[in-house]
Amino acid sequence: MRKDVVYEANRSFNPVFKQKKSILKVMKTVFLITFSFCMIYPLYWLFISAFKSTDEFFQFPYALPSEWTFDNFVRAWNLADLGGAMINSTVVTVVGTIFTVFLGALTAYVLSRFSFKWKGFIMLFFLLGMLIPIHSTLVPLFSIMNEIGMLNTYWALILPYTAFELPIAIFLITAYMSSIPKEIEEAAVIDGAGYWGIFFRIMLPIAVPAMATVAILAFLRYWNEYIFALVFINDASLKTLPLSLSIFSDGYSTDYSLTMAAMAIAVIPTVIMYVFFQEQIMKGMVAGSVKG
Amino acid sequence: MQDILKAKHWIIISLLPALLLYTFIVIVPIFWSSYYGFFKWSGMNEPSFIGWANYLEVVNDPIFWRALKNNMIIVVASVFGQVPIALLLALLLRKTTLFQRFVRSAVFLPMVISTVVVGLIWGYIYNPEFGIVNALLEMLGLESWTRAWLSDPAVNMYAVSVPIIWNYIGPYLIIFIAAIQNIPTEIEDAAKMDGANGFRKLFYITLPMMWTTIKVAVVLCISGSLKAFDQVFVMTGGGPAQSTELLATYMYNNTFMTYRYGYGSAVSTMIIIVSLILILISQILMRRKEEKGMSI
């Protein structure tokens, strides 16, 4: 024991060893900086290009803009009706998120607090949904919605988004509620509160952390979702942001800095959200993907 | 008795909305598409029953097999790209200094960006006129390597895999960092006492202790990369000449571009079968890990 301590001490005083260690440390730092740069670069390039004129973009595609101009943002906003798209995205995302959190919490309350015959089966049934590839339901959902006249409505997006997010929502909230001791509701039961009362006044407030995680995940997923919107929405006035971007880039395919500005507008809300809720987003997405 | 009835009533009422929504939107379409796979149907006219013809056509279409092969390329690229990169970074990012936290956030950043934006921006990065990939190669004196990355069938499947790798490193990094932090410090200390340092500690202590987590990551990576197709769809749409076709783009192009809903339904069913087979294989991997009695 004593010997080890001496040995360690000698080593750290050894100048050659120290030098080797510091070279390694520099190499590590250089690697990490380079790697982070590669991760951020596409987004950085997107933003600087959005502030350039198209001519300048072609001349110096990688340089900082000589003159920072908001022209592209204004033009993109007006040409692609990004304002309308943003309203559509907001409606679909907010309503979908509320549905997901509420239905997820309600179902989780029942699954975590009651025991009944079919409970195991219902849990398994919801878990099954995580295995189903979303794009394999496109054709049947399109046909069904076509039959009942649901295409080209907000519901055509809100309902599928909610349905596909429900398994993860139920799973995360059930796990959280199960970890809370049952004594907490017992007082309320004695007071004669009904199940709705217990759910709204006790379970919902307690489960806020899990519900917040679900809400953030749902929000990001719905805001960015593309393929359902592409297939179920044709009406120009109902297009969500990702959809109007993909169409916009086709129409103005050579006006690159204009397209970049449109993309920047679409990306800003999620990036701001990321800055504020970073830890929660990381943890939530990992929990969501591990369970999914 | 009254109470039990009341509870039963409540359970049914509160489970019903989620259960109905989920059943009709997630489960019913699977049966619906396997059924309509037996019909010739343009979406407008009455569907007419044609037996196994659609399914046979899918299995006999070389493009379907190419799409399946391309999907496998994405899966393999993701497993051998995302997992090792995330592992290396996790080993370097064991502290919580400001700098290290910044690197972590940077790596996770693409996760919050719309897949459409990812597809479009990487399309520009690969652009032969002004894309930075060719510009960098020219700068390095490798002009002969420059090419139209997304339209050259010899390389475009690998080119479209890079953005998908870039997009999804984040979660694996977080999983690995958590796994490293879970290694008991006593074990590390003991290893140090025994004179294990650097690579020896890495190969005899850290990696074996993380092995179960690495397996879980691989399983997640396989099922996750089956879902990734937005980026490819935006970058190439499956072209040129169907060289980057994935199962999902194949399904989309055959259904909504040519109005063959019966055929599209058959392809959808095939997608489910392929995914279930792959998930089953990865679950078997998972099972092995549980036998050893460890979990993440």
Side-chain angles (χ1 to χ4, degrees), chain A residues 12-70:
Chain A
S12 43
F13 280 120
N14 181 337
V16 179
F17 182 74
K18 220 174 174 182
Q19 204 177 17
K20 199 176 133 199
K21 216 170 178 180
S22 66
I23 290 174
L24 266 176
K25 209 174 169 191
V26 170
M27 272 170 62
K28 180 182 140 183
T29 311
V30 169
F31 169 76
L32 287 178
I33 290 174
T34 317
F35 196 85
S36 316
F37 181 75
C38 292
M39 293 307 291
I40 297 175
Y41 184 78
L43 209 60
Y44 160 80
W45 188 46
L46 170 73
F47 277 101
I48 60 162
S49 308
F51 285 103
K52 287 178 194 171
S53 69
T54 300
D55 287 343
E56 195 187 348
F57 175 77
F58 272 109
Q59 264 185 311
F60 309 104
Y62 320 117
L64 285 173
S66 58
E67 201 181 328
W68 297 74
T69 151
F70 275 96

Side-chain angles (χ1 to χ4, degrees), chain B:
Chain B
M1 195 60 212
Q2 192 78 44
D3 280 356
I4 294 174
L5 261 180
K6 209 178 120 197
K8 225 177 183 173
H9 199 71
W10 157 261
I11 290 172
I12 293 169
I13 293 281
S14 50
L15 282 183
L16 218 52
L19 219 44
L20 282 180
L21 184 66
Y22 171 79
T23 308
F24 277 103
I25 291 178
V26 183
I27 303 294
V28 167
I30 300 169
F31 297 101
W32 175 288
S33 66
S34 52
Y35 176 70
Y36 276 92
F38 293 106
F39 289 83
K40 186 179 163 73
W41 183 31
S42 70
M44 294 297 165
N45 62 347
E46 273 298 298
S48 60
F49 185 80
I50 50 167
W52 291 93
N54 283 329
Y55 289 99
L56 285 174
E57 194 187 332
V58 175
V59 182
N60 286 318
D61 185 356
I63 305 293
F64 171 79
W65 293 104
R66 184 194 285 172
L68 183 61
K69 191 187 124 205
N70 286 343
N71 254 73
M72 291 303 136
I73 291 177
I74 302 266
V75 170
V76 171
S78 300
V79 171
F80 289 96
Q82 283 157 14
V83 176
I85 292 173
L87 192 57
L88 175 66
L89 286 171
L91 290 169
L92 298 177
L93 293 172
R94 307 168 71 157
K95 298 192 196 91
T96 44
T97 59
L98 197 65
F99 171 64
Q100 297 215 345
R101 287 220 310 273
F102 167 77
V103 177
R104 208 184 294 182
S105 308
V107 173
F108 204 88
L109 177 67
M111 288 294 293
V112 304
I113 294 170
S114 146
T115 45
V116 171
V117 173
V118 171
L120 288 174
I121 198 82
W122 277 87
Y124 293 167
I125 287 175
Y126 284 128
N127 190 296
E129 276 175 70
F130 58 81
I132 193 154
V133 176
N134 279 351
L136 270 179
L137 288 173
E138 269 165 35
M139 218 174 77
L140 295 170
L142 296 166
E143 262 121 35
S144 58
W145 289 22
T146 61
R147 61 189 71 213
W149 293 95
L150 293 179
S151 37
D152 183 344
V155 293
N156 57 8
M157 264 325 290
Y158 306 105
V160 298
S161 300
V162 174
I164 292 176
I165 295 173
W166 173 85
N167 211 163
Y168 300 114
I169 298 173
Y172 303 105
L173 173 63
I174 307 293
I175 293 174
F176 288 145
I177 289 177
I180 292 178
Q181 282 165 351
N182 278 342
I183 297 176
T185 42
E186 293 87 18
I187 295 182
E188 293 222 359
D189 292 345
K192 243 185 206 161
M193 293 254 188
D194 291 342
N197 264 312
F199 281 106
R200 290 188 62 169
K201 203 180 93 195
L202 176 68
F203 283 109
Y204 288 104
I205 309 288
T206 316
L207 285 182
M209 291 290 291
M210 292 177 71
W211 197 235
T212 49
T213 311
I214 295 172
K215 273 192 189 166
V216 172
V218 170
V219 171
L220 288 177
C221 199
I222 292 172
S223 55
S225 50
L226 280 171
K227 293 177 195 152
F229 77 102
D230 284 9
Q231 296 92 336
V232 179
F233 187 79
V234 173
M235 273 186 280
T236 67
Q242 296 177 301
S243 56
T244 56
E245 202 84 275
L246 301 179
L247 289 176
T249 59
Y250 178 74
M251 185 271 303
Y252 181 87
N253 291 334
N254 272 300
T255 314
F256 300 107
M257 295 287 122
T258 55
Y259 303 104
R260 296 181 66 197
Y261 289 90
Y263 189 69
S265 302
V267 178
S268 302
T269 309
M270 296 302 283
I271 292 178
I272 293 177
I273 294 172
V274 168
S275 321
L276 288 185
I277 290 174
L278 273 168
I279 289 167
L280 201 74
I281 293 172
S282 52
Q283 283 299 317
I284 293 169
L285 279 172
M286 231 6 172
R287 191 76 19 93
R288 277 231 195 98
K289 145 245 153 186
E290 272 157 14
E291 276 163 17
K292 282 186 184 162
M294 281 178 89
S295 60
I296 55 160

Side-chain angles (χ1 to χ4, degrees), chain A residues 254-272:
Chain A
T254 51
D255 203 339
Y256 294 102
S257 47
L258 187 66
T259 312
M260 299 269 214
M263 286 196 266
I265 292 172
V267 160
I268 286 169
T270 56
V271 170
I272 290 176

